[in-house]
Amino acid sequence: MVTPSLPHQNNIQQIGYKLLSMLNFQGEKVDEVAKTLISACLWNDSVENKSRAYDVSPQTVRNYIEKQGMEVIEKLLERARKISLEVLKGVKEIDLSIDWTTKTWYGKPVKGSSEKGNSWNYATTKYKGKVLLLAFIPQVNGMTKDEIVKVLVEQVMAMGFKIRLITLDAGFYTVDVLNFISQFKYIIAVPVGDVKVYEEFDGDYTTNSKRHRRDEQVKFRLLVYSKEEVRGKSVVYFARATNLDLSKREVLDLYNKVRGPIETSYRNIKAFLPFTSSTKFVFRTLIFVLAIVLYSLYTIFKGEVGREEFRLLLILLFPDLFNPENFTFNIIETLIYTIDLFLRR
């Protein structure tokens, strides 16, 4: 049997202590609150459930986050960016992918949130197999899509990177976004229903938004392609807008290459995202950013261990993070699962 190459346990333990130090709340229950949050991330459990394991009430955890959360969020994001900068040391030019994710409300929306729930917008790049977070902004009521894109791009450029290419999802397809990203090389998905081209197409297209004057419309190269639909429908059409002077096939392949990893990164972030019954904007944002930081830390070891191996190693090598009783109930199952993962490598 080949013994898998594992990161040194001291490195994993140091990550645990760094996480605790980043959650620098002020007050008598800071250790309990920090451990509750990290434990909920690692076990993919609810914050409310984990709080009881540390003899702190869910309301106490909420109070700490609602009063001090924004400052902690900024420090967590600073850490995530620092990790990305360390991996990208020496890199000057990058391809950028921008996306958002929304968590639907289960309860009455609160002031500061979007209508459907909490939305988080972020930008990533892929380098040596690692998908790295570079910029992040929560979406609040009143923010336009072009404002979101501008903020994310400005954050990336402030880090000293030159943007070689931007790819965006169809949700960002607006005249204002197109006007802004036209200064870069770009590929953006286009809702076929908006352009109403239901055939293979590669040619010029001009927007016809009723919200903008004729001289404010944007002209771009439109690519429409079809795919056979598995579930009964014969053909489904997809569209992309771009200003690249490449063949249609090259543009579509490049979009998938740059765009695809951000979807993978969200699935990995979600794996560290705890649950909560709180609908508070700052609470939801903090646990999402904490999941981002855990994912960013995982990228350091990507290639040495898988995501679940990383999570379980952190649990096993940092046991003082957990209430002894809670740890006892879970340690055997976790150890068996970890050994099984190693044997299947």
Side-chain angles (χ1 to χ4, degrees), residues 21 32 65 92 113 118 140 165 182 232 236 281 283 314:
S21 67
E32 290 85 351
I65 294 175
K92 302 297 183 182
S113 68
N118 287 114
V140 297
L165 173 71
S182 293
V236 177
F281 181 75
F283 197 108
L314 188 54

Side-chain angles (χ1 to χ4, degrees), residues 117-218:
N118 287 114
S119 294
W120 302 281
N121 307 270
Y122 48 99
T124 65
T125 192
K126 186 174 183 179
Y127 180 70
K128 292 186 176 180
K130 303 178 188 295
V131 184
L132 307 168
L133 180 96
L134 296 177
F136 173 89
I137 182 173
Q139 183 174 345
V140 297
N141 282 333
M143 286 191 74
T144 61
K145 293 176 181 179
D146 62 300
E147 288 173 339
I148 292 167
V149 174
K150 286 177 183 176
V151 169
L152 292 174
V153 169
E154 286 169 359
Q155 287 184 20
V156 172
M157 296 181 73
M159 296 170 76
F161 295 113
K162 180 180 179 181
I163 298 173
R164 180 170 48 221
L165 173 71
I166 295 181
T167 61
L168 303 98
D169 184 66
F172 286 105
Y173 177 71
T174 68
V175 168
D176 292 325
V177 170
L178 284 166
N179 268 318
F180 174 72
I181 64 172
S182 293
Q183 63 185 294
F184 307 98
K185 297 296 184 182
Y186 72 86
I187 312 172
I188 180 171
V190 177
V192 175
D194 287 5
V195 296
K196 296 180 174 61
V197 178
Y198 299 97
E199 61 181 0
E200 297 286 333
F201 183 82
D202 182 354
D204 291 338
Y205 180 88
T206 303
T207 58
N208 55 3
S209 171
K210 294 180 181 179
R211 297 182 179 181
H212 294 79
R213 301 190 308 268
R214 182 176 296 181
D215 62 345
E216 293 176 329
Q217 303 298 327
V218 182

Side-chain angles (χ1 to χ4, degrees), residues 36-159:
T36 294
L37 293 170
I38 298 172
S39 179
C41 287
L42 293 178
W43 288 107
N44 210 210
D45 200 351
S46 74
V47 175
E48 289 75 16
N49 183 46
K50 285 302 180 185
S51 69
R52 296 182 181 93
Y54 297 103
D55 196 27
V56 60
S57 73
Q59 189 57 51
T60 297
V61 177
R62 293 190 191 102
N63 290 341
Y64 270 80
I65 294 175
E66 289 165 22
K67 292 178 181 178
Q68 305 177 43
M70 293 311 298
E71 182 179 349
V72 175
I73 287 169
E74 286 304 315
K75 291 185 181 299
L76 288 170
L77 287 172
E78 183 181 346
R79 168 58 62 179
R81 294 188 190 101
K82 185 176 180 180
I83 292 169
S84 297
L85 284 171
E86 288 173 354
V87 175
L88 291 167
K89 190 174 182 179
V91 175
K92 302 297 183 182
E93 195 172 43
I94 60 169
D95 295 329
L96 195 67
S97 186
I98 293 176
D99 199 5
W100 80 61
T101 182
T102 299
K103 281 289 183 180
T104 306
W105 283 115
Y106 296 98
K108 186 178 179 181
V110 295
K111 184 177 180 181
S113 68
S114 63
E115 292 179 2
K116 294 182 179 180
N118 287 114
S119 294
W120 302 281
N121 307 270
Y122 48 99
T124 65
T125 192
K126 186 174 183 179
Y127 180 70
K128 292 186 176 180
K130 303 178 188 295
V131 184
L132 307 168
L133 180 96
L134 296 177
F136 173 89
I137 182 173
Q139 183 174 345
V140 297
N141 282 333
M143 286 191 74
T144 61
K145 293 176 181 179
D146 62 300
E147 288 173 339
I148 292 167
V149 174
K150 286 177 183 176
V151 169
L152 292 174
V153 169
E154 286 169 359
Q155 287 184 20
V156 172
M157 296 181 73
M159 296 170 76

